Amino acid sequence: MVSISKLKKQGSRLDFYVSEILKQQRETREREYPTHRDLRLRTIDALQYIGNEELARNIKDCQPTKRCESMWCKTCRQSIADSYYETLSRHTKNYGTDNNDYRHVTALIGLCDLSVAGVNQLLKEDEARWRRIRGRKHGREFYFDVIYELELINWRYLSTATHGSEKKKEQMAQLRYKQGNFSTDVSLLVHWHGITNAPKESLDGIMHDDYFLGGKTDKQRIHKTHTSGLYVQSLHENKSLDENLKKIASYPFKDSFRFKHSYQGSDYKSGEYFTKDELGKLVEVYQEIQGPRRKRLRRHSYPK
């Protein structure tokens, strides 16, 4: 019979070896990452690496008369965020002028592989949710305006991160289990961020269990979400409504180059770098699925 002390020793050795392997992988990502500081050049380099010369060229040649519309282009990303802010500013004037009139809401849609087909499938499923939401009496009474975001997740790095968010680890573990346990570590988290004038107590009647996990007989709310299945936050009281709208409008439009291990806004500065292949494919997928004027990234519902 193997002694408890021997099992503990073997377990500690395994933890040590796993830690060393991850450390080597991180160091490899650091070494292989382009040395140039220009983020635009990093993006172009990654796109050329995966063979998408056309998109690389469009970003490189982006100019006022012919925009590339990529979120990894600083000028275009700012223009995209500004445009969405103007949309929010225009519509919110109809539903309230104070921070207390609105909530910042987030919904986790699901995980998929790093592909256009995978994202399209999740967007199609969410489109069906929105049809149901708009068809409900409570859903027709309130304003919603949301934008999809795609976040690259590395489960191995996230699950072993010592500085990561335990909430995020638990949520990703739930999604991986309910969606059939992904065989690969790298996946895309499809989710949306947005604003609503619906009070917290009305969200259950609007969303039902559409943003719960599982089938009809085994529904499960995602860890640490509101009873509606959403993550619900009040707007910052120390900022004006206009400042909050600008923040919400820019939040989904990121030019990520690293993995995030928590929900802290600055966490992307400390995670492991994407490989050229991961970065190139992420930029490519965004470009493919956003549609003309990024219409496919937006969902909205107006009171009737």
Side-chain angles (χ1 to χ4, degrees):
M1 182 179 291
V2 180
S3 67
I4 296 295
S5 61
K6 189 171 183 180
L7 285 174
K8 287 182 177 179
K9 187 178 291 185
Q10 289 175 345
S12 63
R13 284 179 181 173
L14 179 59
D15 290 341
F16 171 76
Y17 289 134
V18 170
S19 177
E20 284 299 301
I21 290 170
L22 292 176
K23 181 180 177 182
Q24 290 174 14
Q25 289 181 352
R26 293 180 183 113
E27 290 174 350
T28 299
R29 285 174 179 266
E30 292 282 346
R31 285 197 305 270
E32 292 181 350
Y33 201 71
T35 55
H36 38 253
R37 297 175 62 84
D38 190 317
L39 300 182
R40 183 166 146 275
L41 293 179
R42 293 179 183 179
T43 305
I44 293 169
D45 185 55
L47 288 168
Q48 290 174 334
Y49 180 81
I50 65 167
N52 195 330
E53 294 287 347
E54 182 181 3
L55 183 51
R57 186 166 54 253
N58 289 344
I59 293 176
K60 181 180 179 181
D61 298 337
C62 183
Q63 52 188 306
T65 56
K66 190 179 180 181
R67 290 298 183 195
C68 66
E69 300 291 328
S70 171
M71 277 181 276
W72 278 261
C73 166
K74 184 177 180 180
T75 301
C76 288
R77 185 176 69 259
Q78 187 61 55
S79 176
I80 292 168
D82 289 345
S83 176
Y84 186 48
Y85 159 70
E86 290 173 4
T87 298
L88 292 182
S89 182
R90 184 170 64 253
H91 288 297
T92 50
K93 289 177 181 177
N94 300 319
Y95 309 116
T97 57
D98 187 78
N99 283 329
N100 294 326
D101 294 324
Y102 299 98
R103 260 62 52 202
H104 181 195
V105 286
T106 299
L108 304 184
I109 311 303
L111 296 170
C112 66
D113 60 351
L114 186 47
S115 71
V116 173
V119 175
N120 278 337
Q121 180 58 39
L122 290 179
L123 294 184
K124 183 178 179 181
E125 293 171 8
D126 201 48
E127 183 179 1
R129 290 189 187 95
W130 278 93
R131 282 199 298 268
R132 292 194 294 271
I133 291 167
R134 294 187 186 107
R136 293 171 187 143
K137 178 178 181 295
H138 286 301
R140 296 192 296 269
E141 293 175 347
F142 299 105
Y143 165 66
F144 285 86
D145 211 314
V146 308
I147 292 287
Y148 289 109
E149 181 182 358
L150 313 180
E151 180 185 343
L152 200 58
I153 300 286
N154 187 308
W155 174 244
R156 179 177 296 182
Y157 292 153
L158 173 62
S159 62
T160 57
T162 56
H163 63 282
S165 164
E166 293 306 313
K167 179 182 75 173
K168 188 166 189 175
K169 290 179 184 180
E170 180 67 25
Q171 289 177 343
M172 294 309 104
Q174 272 186 289
L175 287 169
R176 288 174 68 86
Y177 176 74
K178 285 295 184 179
Q179 292 187 237
N181 279 325
F182 278 69
S183 59
T184 58
D185 287 320
V186 178
S187 59
L188 275 177
L189 170 63
V190 181
H191 57 295
W192 52 249
H193 299 283
I195 192 168
T196 181
N197 69 333
K200 264 191 176 184
E201 58 270 20
S202 298
L203 288 172
D204 288 12
I206 297 170
M207 297 297 165
H208 287 199
D209 57 8
D210 279 329
Y211 287 100
F212 283 36
L213 299 175
K216 292 182 179 179
T217 59
D218 64 339
K219 289 287 186 181
Q220 183 183 67
R221 184 157 55 92
I222 297 176
H223 181 64
K224 292 292 186 179
T225 54
H226 179 257
T227 52
S228 61
L230 306 183
Y231 185 58
V232 187
Q233 296 173 282
S234 299
L235 272 57
H236 294 289
E237 294 182 358
N238 60 342
K239 296 180 180 179
S240 68
L241 176 60
D242 190 63
E243 289 173 317
N244 278 311
L245 291 178
K246 285 182 179 178
K247 182 68 175 179
I248 292 171
S250 64
Y251 194 79
F253 303 117
K254 301 182 179 74
D255 59 339
S256 302
F257 292 88
R258 297 175 183 253
F259 292 105
K260 284 183 63 178
H261 296 324
S262 77
Y263 288 118
Q264 298 301 316
S266 60
D267 185 58
Y268 67 90
K269 295 180 180 179
S270 59
E272 293 80 8
Y273 281 118
F274 299 156
T275 62
K276 289 183 183 181
D277 185 68
E278 291 163 348
L279 176 58
K281 287 180 179 177
L282 178 61
V283 177
E284 184 178 60
V285 167
Y286 251 115
Q287 198 77 9
E288 285 290 322
I289 64 101
Q290 65 185 16
R293 298 177 62 83
R294 298 159 301 282
K295 288 184 178 180
R296 291 198 67 221
L297 294 181
R298 182 179 175 230
R299 298 280 185 205
H300 58 273
S301 181
Y302 304 130
K304 295 179 180 179

